[in-house]
Amino acid sequence: SLFVFLDALPLTPNGKLDRKALPSPEVARSEQHDDFVAPRTDIEKQLAQVWVEVLKVERVGVHDNFFELGGDSILSIQIISKAGQTGLRLTPKQIFTNPTVAELALECAPTNGAETQAAAEDLSGTFALSPIQNWFFEQDFIAPNHWNMAMLLEIDQRLQPEQLRQMIAALLAQHDALRLRFHKNDAGWQQHYAALDAEIPFASEDLSAFDENAQQQKISEAAQAAQRSLDLHDGPLLRVLHFALGKNQPDRLLFVIYHLAVDAVSWRILLEDLQTACEQIARGEAIRLPAKTTSFKNWLAHLQAFANSEALEKQHDFWMSTAKPQPLPVDRQGENIAASRRTVEVALSAEKTRALLQEVPKAYKTQINDILLTAFAQTIAQWTGRQSVLLALEGHGREELPGAEKIDLSRTVGWFTTMFPIHLQLAASDNPGEILKSTKEQLRQIPHRGIGYGLLRYLGDDATVADKLTAQPWPQVSFNYLGHFGGQTDEQAGLRVPDAPTGDGNDAAGKGHSLLEVTGRVADGVLKMEWAYSENLHQRETIGKLAQAFMSALSALIEHCLSPEAGGFTPSDFPLANLNSAQLDKLLKKKMAKAG
């Protein structure tokens, strides 16, 4: 096919499409740059090396597309972080609008003292909660101190307990959110940073004298105890346990962190710092971690300002129009509590995962969530017999907001997650491409990637809007894509994240907030989808069939996007043109007819 790829469509002075100014069809940019072009300038070489490290690819040419190499919004944060460590400042918007090294090299700028700015921030005093933290306390959990995230690491390097203690102390000093404390007063829940404590929440245990079964049992018992040991009022919010298993096995390092202080992106930052510290200790050097970025407290101040801005006021109608959820089919009546939570995990093959990440985006200029949510909506719609799905969608929340362009969250630990309802309507078509394009456009209509919902509900001054959003029934199904997470982290550092039990992250009596929670991640080059449900409500066979139906729908979309007939644009590809889908299709057909 012959198309013209434009950064924007030409417009008349009145803002309408200037059809006469459209150039004649030519070979598409992707076809022009099929041949590898190596980085040429110092900045291009720096950026290409960052992409190689983050995207885990052998090489990156200056015209390779970030999203077609498997990049996503979460990986873009890692790109920003590593680029900052080389002296280059990037923003998420720059990566999304300039997705090649050649384009991005023209946009990035020197860091200009960002380290000094972050180090000078005032971290004293109490401050209000983020939207997701407000949501947490709104749940009124039976055991609020037991709501954690945990990770068990394998570490090849033989480190002494005192060296590990120094590493944990460095993490606590570097990442202020790990020292958060929470208290309730007349104004509601507040938070503040505790001072660095001489007592580090770390313990080491030598299990080398026990056999493998006994070792696993003792680790399991210690993990369960650690999960129940955190305290949101007095601390700690972090506990680390070290297990030495003997000469023939790597040591284990268990991290348990209160969820109010971390999210999935935070774990990536902490793992990167652990790798850095391990390498520095191995070289006999003092631990020196990369520069701090904008504090969680400072970010919340910007959120508060944006929550009452004119720009957010324009989102009222969008969030007020969310449809009411229809009850999901259930197999039995029961209570949705943590003790009844079970999971079904399915995985895509490595070959299909590679195609999903690197080949599929080229067909319709999509991102990974467009594909996954299309397959997910098709699966749930088939199950319920309806042509639409109301779901709770989660995002990383580290969005670039108006007025906060100098904010850098690429190395900031905290709970930034956004969670918002979205109503996806399946296109009335048998064509997979049309269904996919429809989903893509609906997702592009979500303002600021959904961060506005929580701001209006929890931080805005308009009580009427907040009350109406609170009164809306919450979706019974949730979806969250975590990106590349788990598996091997770094061969040289000898640090791995195996699939291993870490104890119960929530109190057994705690209530679930969704009947069905679906979480996706890429680990060891394979897409894995975890379907969490309550056995008090659903049989394992029911959820297993749903999980397999999703994989079938996803495989069909992948197959379609790789077929010769796949391909096309949607209005969001031309944001300045102000075209709807019908107008764009008509225009493209006319240009194709003239070209023929």
Side-chain angles (χ1 to χ4, degrees):
S1 298
L2 296 180
F3 292 99
V4 179
F5 283 77
L6 302 174
D7 293 328
L9 290 177
L11 304 177
T12 66
N14 294 329
K16 296 183 178 181
L17 179 66
D18 187 353
R19 290 179 170 82
K20 294 182 180 179
L22 287 170
S24 300
E26 62 182 14
V27 177
R29 180 187 301 177
S30 59
E31 294 174 3
Q32 290 176 337
H33 299 304
D34 276 346
D35 294 333
F36 177 82
V37 178
R40 301 152 297 194
T41 67
D42 289 341
I43 291 181
E44 287 182 349
K45 292 176 182 177
Q46 285 177 263
L47 290 174
Q49 182 58 36
V50 167
W51 285 27
V52 165
E53 294 175 7
V54 173
L55 298 174
K56 308 296 184 186
V57 294
E58 293 184 3
R59 65 177 189 175
V60 172
V62 296
H63 299 302
D64 290 338
N65 187 291
F66 174 70
F67 299 103
E68 293 174 4
L69 290 175
D72 55 41
S73 61
I74 296 177
L75 287 176
S76 72
I77 297 172
Q78 292 180 261
I79 293 287
I80 293 169
S81 173
K82 285 190 173 292
Q85 294 171 39
T86 69
L88 298 176
R89 175 169 171 76
L90 296 172
T91 68
K93 183 178 180 180
Q94 287 174 331
I95 295 177
F96 276 80
T97 56
N98 304 278
T100 68
V101 166
E103 295 169 319
L104 202 55
L106 301 177
E107 297 291 328
C108 59
T111 52
N112 291 330
E115 176 177 1
T116 304
Q117 180 182 355
E121 291 180 355
D122 180 12
L123 301 181
S124 63
T126 61
F127 51 101
L129 307 179
S130 70
I132 193 65
Q133 290 175 324
N134 272 287
W135 170 87
F136 171 84
F137 285 108
E138 186 180 71
Q139 306 309 303
D140 195 23
F141 289 112
I142 296 174
N145 283 316
H146 190 180
W147 216 76
N148 314 319
M149 299 185 78
M151 188 174 293
L152 184 64
L153 305 176
E154 289 182 351
I155 180 168
D156 290 335
Q157 189 174 329
R158 299 295 178 184
L159 298 177
Q160 297 302 312
E162 184 54 36
Q163 293 174 316
L164 291 168
R165 191 183 303 274
Q166 292 173 9
M167 288 170 53
I168 307 310
L171 290 179
L172 286 166
Q174 178 80 6
H175 301 296
D176 310 300
L178 299 179
R179 307 192 312 276
L180 283 171
R181 301 291 185 267
F182 298 85
H183 63 277
K184 191 176 184 180
N185 56 26
D186 293 340
W189 284 95
Q190 302 283 307
Q191 58 188 324
H192 70 277
Y193 295 118
L196 281 170
D197 198 328
E199 183 178 352
I200 305 300
F202 169 80
S204 179
E205 187 173 0
D206 187 350
L207 302 179
S208 57
F210 298 91
D211 62 32
E212 185 175 349
N213 289 335
Q215 287 177 342
Q216 295 304 317
Q217 180 63 28
K218 288 186 173 293
I219 291 175
S220 177
E221 292 172 355
Q224 287 288 70
Q227 290 278 13
R228 295 181 173 88
S229 70
L230 305 183
D231 190 320
L232 63 90
H233 297 282
D234 301 319
L237 265 62
L238 159 73
R239 191 168 298 282
V240 183
L241 303 180
H242 169 241
F243 305 98
L245 303 186
K247 294 182 179 179
N248 298 324
Q249 295 189 70
D251 287 1
R252 302 292 194 274
L253 204 58
L254 174 69
F255 281 75
V256 178
I257 309 179
Y258 198 30
H259 202 343
L260 282 168
V262 291
D263 54 19
V265 175
S266 297
W267 279 107
R268 290 173 172 82
I269 298 168
L270 294 173
L271 286 172
E272 181 181 328
D273 282 354
L274 280 171
Q275 291 173 359
T276 299
C278 284
E279 292 165 0
Q280 290 171 340
I281 289 175
R283 295 193 296 265
E285 302 171 357
I287 298 174
R288 187 175 185 275
L289 301 178
K292 286 186 176 184
T293 49
T294 305
S295 70
F296 189 58
K297 178 185 177 183
N298 194 13
W299 166 244
L300 291 186
H302 282 273
L303 283 188
Q304 187 70 62
F306 185 63
N308 295 292
S309 66
E310 183 179 347
L312 195 61
E313 186 178 347
K314 295 178 181 178
Q315 296 184 21
H316 286 187
D317 291 343
F318 181 89
W319 295 115
M320 293 291 191
S321 62
T322 302
K324 293 182 179 180
Q326 296 292 328
L328 289 180
V330 295
D331 298 323
R332 53 175 72 102
Q333 299 297 323
E335 192 175 11
N336 182 18
I337 58 175
S340 69
R341 181 186 174 99
R342 302 292 182 266
T343 60
V344 169
E345 184 175 89
V346 290
L348 199 64
S349 69
E351 181 182 356
K352 287 185 178 180
T353 298
R354 186 202 62 78
L356 173 67
L357 296 175
Q358 299 182 14
E359 301 297 329
V360 168
K362 300 175 184 179
Y364 298 100
K365 310 304 173 188
T366 53
Q367 297 169 21
I368 180 67
N369 250 16
D370 302 329
I371 311 295
L372 297 179
L373 283 169
T374 299
F376 184 66
Q378 288 177 308
T379 303
I380 300 300
Q382 185 179 21
W383 183 35
T384 62
R386 294 183 290 270
Q387 280 299 105
S388 64
V389 177
L390 182 68
L391 58 93
L393 186 59
E394 294 189 36
H396 60 70
R398 299 164 190 252
E399 309 300 344
E400 188 175 353
L401 300 178
E405 289 79 8
K406 293 184 179 180
I407 292 290
D408 180 3
L409 302 173
S410 61
R411 283 191 40 78
T412 305
V413 167
W415 196 11
F416 292 84
T417 303
T418 53
M419 187 164 56
F420 51 92
I422 186 69
H423 185 225
L424 288 180
Q425 184 76 41
L426 285 173
S429 173
D430 294 329
N431 186 311
E434 294 302 318
I435 298 173
L436 177 55
K437 289 194 294 182
S438 173
T439 302
K440 170 189 169 183
E441 285 307 288
Q442 291 176 71
L443 293 174
R444 296 298 185 276
Q445 295 305 310
I446 302 173
H448 289 105
R449 298 179 182 269
I451 197 171
Y453 174 84
L455 297 180
L456 290 171
R457 179 168 174 174
Y458 296 109
L459 301 189
D461 291 338
D462 193 328
T464 301
V465 172
D467 289 344
K468 288 183 178 179
L469 291 177
T470 302
Q472 290 178 345
W474 191 248
Q476 293 187 331
V477 59
S478 67
F479 187 92
N480 186 17
Y481 175 65
L482 298 175
H484 297 253
F485 200 76
Q488 180 73 35
T489 58
D490 193 307
E491 288 284 355
Q492 291 183 338
L495 195 65
R496 291 177 295 278
V497 186
D499 286 328
T502 56
D504 297 327
N506 310 120
D507 182 77
K511 292 186 177 181
H513 60 279
S514 296
L515 269 62
L516 187 62
E517 300 175 33
V518 181
T519 305
R521 73 190 192 281
V522 175
D524 296 320
V526 171
L527 174 71
K528 299 180 179 180
M529 302 296 300
E530 181 181 274
W531 293 65
Y533 65 99
S534 168
E535 68 173 359
N536 291 344
L537 297 166
H538 291 108
Q539 298 176 3
R540 185 174 185 85
E541 181 183 10
T542 298
I543 305 304
K545 288 181 178 179
L546 279 176
Q548 291 298 334
F550 169 84
M551 298 305 286
S552 296
L554 180 61
S555 296
L557 286 171
I558 293 172
E559 183 178 353
H560 167 77
C561 289
L562 298 180
S563 65
E565 65 270 17
F569 299 95
T570 61
S572 61
D573 296 323
F574 309 102
L576 300 179
N578 195 28
L579 295 171
N580 59 34
S581 295
Q583 291 170 330
L584 179 61
D585 289 343
K586 183 178 180 181
L587 176 62
L588 292 175
K589 287 179 181 178
K590 181 183 290 187
K591 297 301 294 182
M592 289 292 290
K594 288 184 177 180

mmCIF file with all atom_site columns, all heavy atoms in Angstrom, residues 364 430-438 557 560:
data_model
loop_
_atom_site.group_PDB
_atom_site.id
_atom_site.type_symbol
_atom_site.label_atom_id
_atom_site.label_alt_id
_atom_site.label_comp_id
_atom_site.label_asym_id
_atom_site.label_entity_id
_atom_site.label_seq_id
_atom_site.pdbx_PDB_ins_code
_atom_site.Cartn_x
_atom_site.Cartn_y
_atom_site.Cartn_z
_atom_site.occupancy
_atom_site.B_iso_or_equiv
_atom_site.pdbx_formal_charge
_atom_site.auth_seq_id
_atom_site.auth_comp_id
_atom_site.auth_asym_id
_atom_site.auth_atom_id
_atom_site.pdbx_PDB_model_num
ATOM 1  N N   . TYR A 1 364 ? -2.300  -0.932  12.737 1.00 0.00 ? 364 TYR A N   1
ATOM 2  C CA  . TYR A 1 364 ? -3.274  0.144   12.978 1.00 0.00 ? 364 TYR A CA  1
ATOM 3  C C   . TYR A 1 364 ? -2.738  1.216   13.919 1.00 0.00 ? 364 TYR A C   1
ATOM 4  O O   . TYR A 1 364 ? -3.512  1.948   14.528 1.00 0.00 ? 364 TYR A O   1
ATOM 5  C CB  . TYR A 1 364 ? -4.567  -0.448  13.553 1.00 0.00 ? 364 TYR A CB  1
ATOM 6  C CG  . TYR A 1 364 ? -5.253  -1.422  12.628 1.00 0.00 ? 364 TYR A CG  1
ATOM 7  C CD1 . TYR A 1 364 ? -5.111  -2.798  12.809 1.00 0.00 ? 364 TYR A CD1 1
ATOM 8  C CD2 . TYR A 1 364 ? -6.024  -0.971  11.550 1.00 0.00 ? 364 TYR A CD2 1
ATOM 9  C CE1 . TYR A 1 364 ? -5.728  -3.702  11.954 1.00 0.00 ? 364 TYR A CE1 1
ATOM 10 C CE2 . TYR A 1 364 ? -6.646  -1.862  10.692 1.00 0.00 ? 364 TYR A CE2 1
ATOM 11 C CZ  . TYR A 1 364 ? -6.494  -3.225  10.893 1.00 0.00 ? 364 TYR A CZ  1
ATOM 12 O OH  . TYR A 1 364 ? -7.112  -4.119  10.032 1.00 0.00 ? 364 TYR A OH  1
ATOM 13 N N   . ASP A 1 430 ? -18.056 -7.724  11.871 1.00 0.00 ? 430 ASP A N   1
ATOM 14 C CA  . ASP A 1 430 ? -17.363 -9.010  11.925 1.00 0.00 ? 430 ASP A CA  1
ATOM 15 C C   . ASP A 1 430 ? -15.891 -8.858  11.565 1.00 0.00 ? 430 ASP A C   1
ATOM 16 O O   . ASP A 1 430 ? -15.129 -9.832  11.617 1.00 0.00 ? 430 ASP A O   1
ATOM 17 C CB  . ASP A 1 430 ? -18.011 -10.009 10.959 1.00 0.00 ? 430 ASP A CB  1
ATOM 18 C CG  . ASP A 1 430 ? -19.429 -10.374 11.380 1.00 0.00 ? 430 ASP A CG  1
ATOM 19 O OD1 . ASP A 1 430 ? -19.699 -10.365 12.599 1.00 0.00 ? 430 ASP A OD1 1
ATOM 20 O OD2 . ASP A 1 430 ? -20.270 -10.644 10.492 1.00 0.00 ? 430 ASP A OD2 1
ATOM 21 N N   . ASN A 1 431 ? -15.494 -7.647  11.194 1.00 0.00 ? 431 ASN A N   1
ATOM 22 C CA  . ASN A 1 431 ? -14.117 -7.387  10.788 1.00 0.00 ? 431 ASN A CA  1
ATOM 23 C C   . ASN A 1 431 ? -13.257 -7.083  12.015 1.00 0.00 ? 431 ASN A C   1
ATOM 24 O O   . ASN A 1 431 ? -13.502 -6.106  12.723 1.00 0.00 ? 431 ASN A O   1
ATOM 25 C CB  . ASN A 1 431 ? -14.080 -6.200  9.822  1.00 0.00 ? 431 ASN A CB  1
ATOM 26 C CG  . ASN A 1 431 ? -12.700 -5.973  9.244  1.00 0.00 ? 431 ASN A CG  1
ATOM 27 O OD1 . ASN A 1 431 ? -11.722 -5.924  9.975  1.00 0.00 ? 431 ASN A OD1 1
ATOM 28 N ND2 . ASN A 1 431 ? -12.630 -5.820  7.925  1.00 0.00 ? 431 ASN A ND2 1
ATOM 29 N N   . PRO A 1 432 ? -12.243 -7.910  12.305 1.00 0.00 ? 432 PRO A N   1
ATOM 30 C CA  . PRO A 1 432 ? -11.402 -7.675  13.492 1.00 0.00 ? 432 PRO A CA  1
ATOM 31 C C   . PRO A 1 432 ? -10.736 -6.305  13.476 1.00 0.00 ? 432 PRO A C   1
ATOM 32 O O   . PRO A 1 432 ? -10.577 -5.682  14.528 1.00 0.00 ? 432 PRO A O   1
ATOM 33 C CB  . PRO A 1 432 ? -10.362 -8.797  13.416 1.00 0.00 ? 432 PRO A CB  1
ATOM 34 C CG  . PRO A 1 432 ? -10.977 -9.845  12.557 1.00 0.00 ? 432 PRO A CG  1
ATOM 35 C CD  . PRO A 1 432 ? -11.831 -9.119  11.564 1.00 0.00 ? 432 PRO A CD  1
ATOM 36 N N   . GLY A 1 433 ? -10.359 -5.848  12.281 1.00 0.00 ? 433 GLY A N   1
ATOM 37 C CA  . GLY A 1 433 ? -9.723  -4.545  12.184 1.00 0.00 ? 433 GLY A CA  1
ATOM 38 C C   . GLY A 1 433 ? -10.647 -3.418  12.601 1.00 0.00 ? 433 GLY A C   1
ATOM 39 O O   . GLY A 1 433 ? -10.233 -2.477  13.293 1.00 0.00 ? 433 GLY A O   1
ATOM 40 N N   . GLU A 1 434 ? -11.912 -3.496  12.196 1.00 0.00 ? 434 GLU A N   1
ATOM 41 C CA  . GLU A 1 434 ? -12.878 -2.462  12.567 1.00 0.00 ? 434 GLU A CA  1
ATOM 42 C C   . GLU A 1 434 ? -13.134 -2.470  14.073 1.00 0.00 ? 434 GLU A C   1
ATOM 43 O O   . GLU A 1 434 ? -13.276 -1.409  14.692 1.00 0.00 ? 434 GLU A O   1
ATOM 44 C CB  . GLU A 1 434 ? -14.190 -2.661  11.805 1.00 0.00 ? 434 GLU A CB  1
ATOM 45 C CG  . GLU A 1 434 ? -14.077 -2.464  10.301 1.00 0.00 ? 434 GLU A CG  1
ATOM 46 C CD  . GLU A 1 434 ? -13.560 -1.079  9.947  1.00 0.00 ? 434 GLU A CD  1
ATOM 47 O OE1 . GLU A 1 434 ? -14.002 -0.100  10.591 1.00 0.00 ? 434 GLU A OE1 1
ATOM 48 O OE2 . GLU A 1 434 ? -12.692 -0.984  9.050  1.00 0.00 ? 434 GLU A OE2 1
ATOM 49 N N   . ILE A 1 435 ? -13.220 -3.652  14.650 1.00 0.00 ? 435 ILE A N   1
ATOM 50 C CA  . ILE A 1 435 ? -13.426 -3.753  16.099 1.00 0.00 ? 435 ILE A CA  1
ATOM 51 C C   . ILE A 1 435 ? -12.223 -3.174  16.843 1.00 0.00 ? 435 ILE A C   1
ATOM 52 O O   . ILE A 1 435 ? -12.373 -2.424  17.810 1.00 0.00 ? 435 ILE A O   1
ATOM 53 C CB  . ILE A 1 435 ? -13.662 -5.219  16.508 1.00 0.00 ? 435 ILE A CB  1
ATOM 54 C CG1 . ILE A 1 435 ? -14.930 -5.756  15.833 1.00 0.00 ? 435 ILE A CG1 1
ATOM 55 C CG2 . ILE A 1 435 ? -13.767 -5.344  18.022 1.00 0.00 ? 435 ILE A CG2 1
ATOM 56 C CD1 . ILE A 1 435 ? -15.141 -7.247  16.041 1.00 0.00 ? 435 ILE A CD1 1
ATOM 57 N N   . LEU A 1 436 ? -11.037 -3.509  16.374 1.00 0.00 ? 436 LEU A N   1
ATOM 58 C CA  . LEU A 1 436 ? -9.819  -3.008  17.009 1.00 0.00 ? 436 LEU A CA  1
ATOM 59 C C   . LEU A 1 436 ? -9.710  -1.491  16.890 1.00 0.00 ? 436 LEU A C   1
ATOM 60 O O   . LEU A 1 436 ? -9.380  -0.799  17.862 1.00 0.00 ? 436 LEU A O   1
ATOM 61 C CB  . LEU A 1 436 ? -8.597  -3.684  16.382 1.00 0.00 ? 436 LEU A CB  1
ATOM 62 C CG  . LEU A 1 436 ? -7.217  -3.229  16.868 1.00 0.00 ? 436 LEU A CG  1
ATOM 63 C CD1 . LEU A 1 436 ? -7.107  -3.341  18.376 1.00 0.00 ? 436 LEU A CD1 1
ATOM 64 C CD2 . LEU A 1 436 ? -6.127  -4.054  16.191 1.00 0.00 ? 436 LEU A CD2 1
ATOM 65 N N   . LYS A 1 437 ? -9.994  -0.966  15.712 1.00 0.00 ? 437 LYS A N   1
ATOM 66 C CA  . LYS A 1 437 ? -9.920  0.483   15.524 1.00 0.00 ? 437 LYS A CA  1
ATOM 67 C C   . LYS A 1 437 ? -10.930 1.206   16.401 1.00 0.00 ? 437 LYS A C   1
ATOM 68 O O   . LYS A 1 437 ? -10.653 2.286   16.943 1.00 0.00 ? 437 LYS A O   1
ATOM 69 C CB  . LYS A 1 437 ? -10.134 0.838   14.048 1.00 0.00 ? 437 LYS A CB  1
ATOM 70 C CG  . LYS A 1 437 ? -8.976  0.455   13.144 1.00 0.00 ? 437 LYS A CG  1
ATOM 71 C CD  . LYS A 1 437 ? -9.066  1.112   11.776 1.00 0.00 ? 437 LYS A CD  1
ATOM 72 C CE  . LYS A 1 437 ? -10.250 0.622   10.985 1.00 0.00 ? 437 LYS A CE  1
ATOM 73 N NZ  . LYS A 1 437 ? -10.308 1.239   9.626  1.00 0.00 ? 437 LYS A NZ  1
ATOM 74 N N   . SER A 1 438 ? -12.120 0.626   16.564 1.00 0.00 ? 438 SER A N   1
ATOM 75 C CA  . SER A 1 438 ? -13.135 1.234   17.412 1.00 0.00 ? 438 SER A CA  1
ATOM 76 C C   . SER A 1 438 ? -12.673 1.290   18.865 1.00 0.00 ? 438 SER A C   1
ATOM 77 O O   . SER A 1 438 ? -12.824 2.329   19.543 1.00 0.00 ? 438 SER A O   1
ATOM 78 C CB  . SER A 1 438 ? -14.446 0.452   17.310 1.00 0.00 ? 438 SER A CB  1
ATOM 79 O OG  . SER A 1 438 ? -15.396 0.923   18.244 1.00 0.00 ? 438 SER A OG  1
ATOM 80 N N   . LEU A 1 557 ? -6.742  -11.727 16.853 1.00 0.00 ? 557 LEU A N   1
ATOM 81 C CA  . LEU A 1 557 ? -6.376  -10.340 16.550 1.00 0.00 ? 557 LEU A CA  1
ATOM 82 C C   . LEU A 1 557 ? -4.935  -10.258 16.059 1.00 0.00 ? 557 LEU A C   1
ATOM 83 O O   . LEU A 1 557 ? -4.624  -9.503  15.124 1.00 0.00 ? 557 LEU A O   1
ATOM 84 C CB  . LEU A 1 557 ? -6.554  -9.462  17.786 1.00 0.00 ? 557 LEU A CB  1
ATOM 85 C CG  . LEU A 1 557 ? -7.994  -9.131  18.183 1.00 0.00 ? 557 LEU A CG  1
ATOM 86 C CD1 . LEU A 1 557 ? -8.033  -8.455  19.544 1.00 0.00 ? 557 LEU A CD1 1
ATOM 87 C CD2 . LEU A 1 557 ? -8.643  -8.223  17.130 1.00 0.00 ? 557 LEU A CD2 1
ATOM 88 N N   . HIS A 1 560 ? -4.842  -11.520 12.527 1.00 0.00 ? 560 HIS A N   1
ATOM 89 C CA  . HIS A 1 560 ? -5.395  -10.538 11.592 1.00 0.00 ? 560 HIS A CA  1
ATOM 90 C C   . HIS A 1 560 ? -4.393  -9.422  11.323 1.00 0.00 ? 560 HIS A C   1
ATOM 91 O O   . HIS A 1 560 ? -4.183  -9.026  10.162 1.00 0.00 ? 560 HIS A O   1
ATOM 92 C CB  . HIS A 1 560 ? -6.688  -9.950  12.146 1.00 0.00 ? 560 HIS A CB  1
ATOM 93 C CG  . HIS A 1 560 ? -7.130  -8.722  11.403 1.00 0.00 ? 560 HIS A CG  1
ATOM 94 N ND1 . HIS A 1 560 ? -7.743  -8.780  10.166 1.00 0.00 ? 560 HIS A ND1 1
ATOM 95 C CD2 . HIS A 1 560 ? -7.013  -7.398  11.706 1.00 0.00 ? 560 HIS A CD2 1
ATOM 96 C CE1 . HIS A 1 560 ? -7.998  -7.558  9.743  1.00 0.00 ? 560 HIS A CE1 1
ATOM 97 N NE2 . HIS A 1 560 ? -7.566  -6.698  10.654 1.00 0.00 ? 560 HIS A NE2 1
#
